[in-house]
Each structure stands twice: as structure tokens, then as C-alpha cells.
Amino acid sequence: MEREVRVRFAPSPTGPLHIGGVRTALYNFLLAKKTGGKMILRIEDTDQNRFVPGAEDYIRESLEWCGIELDESPWDGGPYAPYRQSERKPMYMQYAMQLIESGHAYYAFDTAEELDEMRERLKAAKVATPQYNAITRMTMKNSLTLPEDEVKKRLESGDPYVIRLKVPRKEEVRLKDLIRGWVMVHSSAIDDKVLMKSDGMPTYHLANIVDDHLMKITHVIRGEEWLPSAPLHVLLYRYLGWEDTMPEFAHLPLLLKPDGNGKLSKRDGDKLGFPVFPLRWVDPFTSEVSSGYREAGYIPEAFINFLAFLGWNPGTQQEIFSMEELANEFSIERIGKSGTRFDIQKARWFNEQYLRAKPDAELAGYLLKALEEHNISCSPEKAEKIAGLMKERVSFPQEFWREAAYFFVAPTEYSEKVASKKWNSQSVAVFTDFRNELSTLSDFNADTVKDLLVSILERHGMKIGMVMQALRLAVTGAEAGPDLMQIIEVIGREETQNRIDAAISALSQYATA
């Protein structure tokens, strides 16, 4: 009988969640959703020295903003609680002891100075990668080299020690990765990793394997940086007797800098002006502020859609996907092997598409909020109409106010470039008639306003294209924008007349014969 798919996202609370981590969480979530499985979140906080206050809350809030739902977590509980490794501390030692008793692990009593001396000896001997392994372990202070009675005495007297995995010297370790195929590593390239630290806390390697087994994880989808550790994990599963239920592995390609050279970092985002974190983060130690996609105005659905395509593709031309559609189409087999360049312009494009697909009434909410901050009153109906006119011209919600301010505030400055080319005595004559005759319209709307302007232009023997940019300048102060007649309808008759009067007065020096 097939096992229920159970995936996990296992971040460490050592700072803000990088978008690469969000992508890992997303791919896990999509697989769980597609298969009707479970999405588990486990906080891996065994390294207490790197713990950062607020980081766990940040992880939770980030995933909630993204719409990544959890079935089991430290906050919602579940059948395999607790879901923080620090709270699971008592259970790990028994598995380390099992490895010692079966001859697959050993006690090591080496001091930091002795470890440094060993590395220096190896460097002097031109060893490319100095490490504690099947060869060097025999020159160190551990339960493989010390007499049994001395080991017992050291343990009883409370001497500090770590427990290391005893990696075989000559063995080929094979692992089938769902993205990369078969991965083979010779055991001579694997060092004797520490499994239990001297403070009694497990390292990532032991805790990760034990927890994945006990939580019945079926698929481990994680970043490429963990691929070198995967053979070690295979050995642990084997030595603990869990090889038959070992999860399937999928190591995701890196998110690369926009130029493709190296892994995307916070520094790249700072340098190129885009966030690398989902939410704004304030460092509790330095008060340094890092920008977030939420605060930059990205819609979470657009952010997730963009992120899904950084390494995966559906094999079709479709680009816009809801979360449900992503889950239906998702497959690990369609994740690429090579790194993906980060393209912030594509993220912006996704945001634009999602904004434009929203109802005008919802977009009006963004504008009304900004107007309230500027103490400007506006009816929901008017805001909805403005939002509908402006949505093709904005990329982010906060731009509705910036781009549409002229609907509420008359221009006080005018483009010299447009005025010098388009403002002249002929246009002023047309605008004067237009301004006066607006009062004669019994039904004031975009169509009647345009008909009036066309009729006046015909009297003056002019085409509409000869005055439109100058009229836009008079009414809005801008060089471009949505349909001008629609703008005039929203602004209203009296305000339009006042703005034309103000422009004629302010730009008189250009109105030469």
C-alpha cells in the first residue's frame, strides 16, 4: 500500500527567510496539495548560538502571507509534536547510542586545539581537504584509539566529548535524486561528521534524519546546498535500520544573481534595488532594515506565481497560475537541474498582471487608503472609476495615488518640453472656446466633451492631434496618461475650466502668434 505523501519545510530561526527558502516551502506545499498529502513545518533550532529573536515569528508570518498552508507545525501542533528540535532534545541521544552500540559511531574527546593541530598537519602534508575521517581518526583521541577503560573513565568523569559517525573507508554510496538522477559518492570523500555536540544537542545531520523518520516524511525537497550531505544521510538511514522507509530526495537548483554568476544574496538585492526577503525585516541586533516584497507592493499571489517559475515550468505557454492551478500542474520531474537567474522585471510583470485582473472596486481600496492618508475625501464610486482608468499604468498598489494624484490636485508645474512644442496661440484660442462652451453641455460626460472639442477644432480648421498633448498638459500637468476625455469627466466641468484658465495664465509666454 502506498504511503501518504508527507513533506516538510525545516527552516532554522537564524534570521529572515530568504526567498530561496520560500521557494523550497512552496514546492513542498505544491506536492502535498497535488497528492492530497500533508505539509509539515519543523523548526530546526539545534544551533542555539545562531538563534535570532523574532526569526520564528517572521517565518510563520511569511508563509501565511504567501498562502502556504501548514498541516502540522509548532503553532498548530500535530500527531508528531513537538515540532521544534530544541524541544525534542531528549530523544536524539538514544539514536546516537544505537549507532555507537552497532559500531557505526564513536566518542571523540579531541579539544579544539587538537583539532586545529590535526588540520595544520594535513595542510603541511599538502592534503587538499583536511578532515576527520577513516584515516585521520586513528591519530586522534577517540573511543577507537583509546583503551576501553580510559574511555569509560572519561565518560564517567564528565570529560567533554562529541559523537561522530564512523564512515567506512572504501565504499560507494549511491543516492537517487528525483531531479538529478543517480548520485554516487565514494566514502573516502565523506568525513566523520559530528552527530551529537558536547552540549548534548544533536547536529543537523542526526536530528534531521531522526525527525524525518519519526514524522514519516516521504519526500525531502530541499536546496542544492544540501546535496553534498545526502550520501551521509543515506548512511545514517542504513545504519539506523531505516533504509526501507528512507524518503525520496529532490535537491532544488540554486537561485542565481541576475547576471547568472553565483547564488543570489541579500547584498545583490541591496546593490540592484530589489528585496530578497518576502517581508520587511529589522535586525534585532543592528537595527538594519531589509526590504520585503509585501512592503514593496507585491501581491502575494503574483509573488508565488513568479517564484514557482524560478526552477519549474509547466511545459506549456501558460504563465498565470492560481495556487490551485500550480498544485494541479506541479511535478518534481519538471524542475530543472541548473540554477535559475533571478529576474526582478519578471516579478514586476507578474504583479502587473494580477493587479489588472482584480475588480476595479478592489483596486479602489488601495487608492482610498492613500487618499485618507492625505486627508482627501473621495466617494468609492469615483475611486473605482479612477482605478479602472489607471490600472493599466501601474505596477504596484501604492502607485495608484502617485499616478492619479492629478485627479485630486491641480497641476502647478508644466513640462517645458511639451509647452515649448505644443502650446501656441492657436491652441489657446481652441482651449478658450472649449473652456467657455463646456458650460453649455447639459449632459457632461467623456463622449459629449469629445464631441464638443471636435466641433470647436473643425471651426478653427484644426485636427484633434494638434492640441491633445497641450490640453492634457493643461488639465493634468502630465505628458501622458489614460483617455483624457475620461479624465475630464471624472474631474468635472468646473475643475476642468479652472485648470484651463490656470494653464493659459501660466503658459502665456508660449502663446505667441
Side-chain angles (χ1 to χ4, degrees):
M1 187 174 172
E2 279 196 16
R3 292 191 293 169
E4 175 190 49
V5 168
R6 289 177 58 81
V7 298
R8 52 67 163 178
F9 177 53
S12 298
T14 55
L17 183 61
H18 188 278
I19 57 170
V22 181
R23 185 190 63 167
T24 299
L26 174 62
Y27 286 177
N28 276 282
F29 175 66
L30 293 177
L31 181 64
K33 200 168 173 64
K34 178 171 185 172
T35 58
K38 294 287 193 293
M39 171 73 175
I40 292 93
L41 183 130
R42 185 174 69 231
I43 294 292
E44 301 205 334
D45 57 349
T46 56
D47 191 345
Q48 294 291 295
N49 293 326
R50 297 180 61 218
F51 176 80
V52 174
E56 186 180 310
D57 289 337
Y58 181 92
I59 291 166
R60 181 180 186 177
E61 191 178 350
S62 296
L63 297 180
E64 286 176 353
W65 178 71
C66 291
I68 296 173
E69 300 163 357
L70 306 171
D71 295 295
E72 301 167 26
S73 70
W75 318 297
D76 302 314
Y80 302 99
Y83 291 90
R84 290 185 188 88
Q85 285 185 337
S86 59
E87 296 170 10
R88 300 169 66 84
K89 178 181 175 180
M91 71 178 67
Y92 298 115
M93 182 57 84
Q94 63 177 301
Y95 297 103
M97 293 307 298
Q98 180 183 328
L99 290 167
I100 283 180
E101 289 162 11
S102 63
H104 295 298
Y106 58 93
Y107 299 105
F109 302 97
D110 315 285
T111 64
E113 292 75 21
E114 287 167 340
L115 290 170
D116 286 339
E117 286 171 13
M118 179 264 285
R119 293 188 193 100
E120 290 304 318
R121 285 198 306 272
L122 293 175
K123 283 180 186 175
K126 307 295 184 187
V127 174
T129 52
Q131 56 186 12
Y132 205 120
N133 59 19
I135 297 173
T136 57
R137 71 167 79 115
M138 301 314 295
T139 67
M140 305 300 289
K141 287 181 182 173
N142 54 59
S143 57
L144 301 177
T145 60
L146 297 173
E148 189 176 336
D149 59 341
E150 185 177 343
V151 172
K152 186 178 178 183
K153 183 180 176 184
R154 281 175 175 265
L155 292 174
E156 288 174 349
S157 63
D159 281 12
Y161 67 86
V162 299
I163 296 177
R164 289 181 179 272
L165 182 67
K166 186 181 177 185
V167 178
R169 183 171 178 181
K170 294 180 178 179
E171 188 174 315
E172 195 172 70
V173 185
R174 290 162 55 85
L175 161 76
K176 188 173 184 183
D177 186 278
L178 295 174
I179 296 172
R180 299 157 197 280
W182 283 102
V183 177
M184 284 164 280
V185 176
H186 197 273
S187 62
S188 60
I190 306 171
D191 58 333
D192 289 2
K193 291 286 188 207
V194 172
L195 302 178
M196 293 294 293
K197 294 179 283 188
S198 56
D199 62 2
M201 286 294 277
T203 61
Y204 167 83
H205 303 292
L206 179 64
N208 174 272
I209 298 308
V210 169
D211 289 343
D212 282 351
H213 173 74
L214 296 180
M215 293 180 179
K216 294 182 164 51
I217 301 304
T218 60
H219 295 76
V220 170
I221 304 173
R222 60 188 179 186
E224 182 182 281
E225 63 270 24
W226 291 111
L227 187 57
S229 300
L232 174 77
H233 298 166
V234 170
L235 289 176
L236 278 167
Y237 277 108
R238 184 181 303 162
Y239 297 157
L240 287 166
W242 301 335
E243 198 166 12
D244 290 345
T245 56
M246 184 172 70
E248 295 188 80
F249 291 93
H251 290 89
L252 304 176
L254 293 175
L255 289 186
L256 303 177
K257 300 177 184 184
D259 63 6
N261 294 319
K263 185 179 177 181
L264 180 71
S265 69
K266 176 185 176 298
R267 189 176 299 168
D268 300 313
D270 292 342
K271 182 180 175 182
L272 299 171
F274 59 80
V276 295
F277 304 127
L279 315 180
R280 180 175 177 268
W281 167 259
V282 181
D283 189 294
F285 304 117
T286 66
S287 297
E288 180 187 3
V289 178
S290 299
S291 61
Y293 280 85
R294 181 179 64 182
E295 291 73 18
Y298 283 85
I299 297 167
E301 297 86 349
F303 174 69
I304 283 296
N305 199 155
F306 163 67
L307 212 53
F309 273 71
L310 289 177
W312 170 87
N313 77 80
T316 65
Q317 295 301 308
Q318 182 179 344
E319 289 189 277
I320 304 299
F321 285 83
S322 66
M323 186 74 90
E324 189 171 342
E325 289 171 328
L326 283 171
N328 288 337
E329 294 296 324
F330 182 76
S331 69
I332 293 176
E333 291 72 28
R334 296 209 66 85
I335 297 173
K337 293 187 180 80
S338 56
T340 305
R341 290 190 188 198
F342 187 83
D343 182 358
I344 193 63
Q345 294 309 317
K346 193 65 177 181
R348 186 185 181 101
W349 178 86
F350 271 108
N351 215 55
E352 290 167 352
Q353 307 314 304
Y354 275 82
L355 265 182
R356 291 166 191 174
K358 285 183 178 290
D360 292 348
E362 187 177 340
L363 299 178
Y366 299 129
L367 179 58
L368 286 168
K369 183 181 178 183
L371 290 171
E372 190 177 332
E373 292 170 0
H374 287 83
N375 295 316
I376 297 173
S377 60
C378 176
S379 69
E381 294 76 20
K382 182 178 178 180
E384 187 175 333
K385 190 158 191 176
I386 294 171
L389 288 173
M390 301 304 298
K391 67 182 180 181
E392 296 291 328
R393 313 189 73 83
V394 300
S395 301
F396 303 101
Q398 65 270 26
E399 292 177 352
F400 276 103
W401 160 248
R402 192 178 75 202
E403 296 296 323
Y406 56 69
F407 281 95
F408 305 95
V409 182
T412 55
E413 296 180 354
Y414 305 90
S415 166
E416 186 179 345
K417 183 177 75 172
V418 175
S420 62
K421 289 182 179 179
K422 300 294 183 180
W423 199 270
N424 52 53
S425 57
Q426 285 181 297
S427 61
V428 169
V430 170
F431 299 156
T432 301
D433 289 350
F434 179 63
R435 176 248 180 271
N436 293 332
E437 293 177 37
L438 282 174
S439 300
T440 67
L441 295 177
S442 56
D443 185 13
F444 186 86
N445 59 55
D447 291 334
T448 58
V449 168
K450 184 174 182 180
D451 290 342
L452 174 63
L453 178 61
V454 169
S455 67
I456 292 171
L457 286 166
E458 286 175 354
R459 290 204 309 261
H460 285 265
M462 297 172 69
K463 301 284 186 184
I464 196 166
M466 298 169 70
V467 300
M468 281 301 285
Q469 198 170 9
L471 181 57
R472 182 182 295 279
L473 187 70
V475 174
T476 70
E479 295 182 25
D483 184 87
L484 181 58
M485 301 302 119
Q486 294 280 354
I487 294 173
I488 289 173
E489 178 183 323
V490 174
I491 288 175
R493 188 196 321 257
E494 187 176 340
E495 179 64 15
T496 301
Q497 290 173 320
N498 291 341
R499 292 187 183 192
I500 291 173
D501 288 342
I504 289 174
S505 173
L507 301 172
S508 59
Q509 70 270 31
Y510 299 105
T512 54

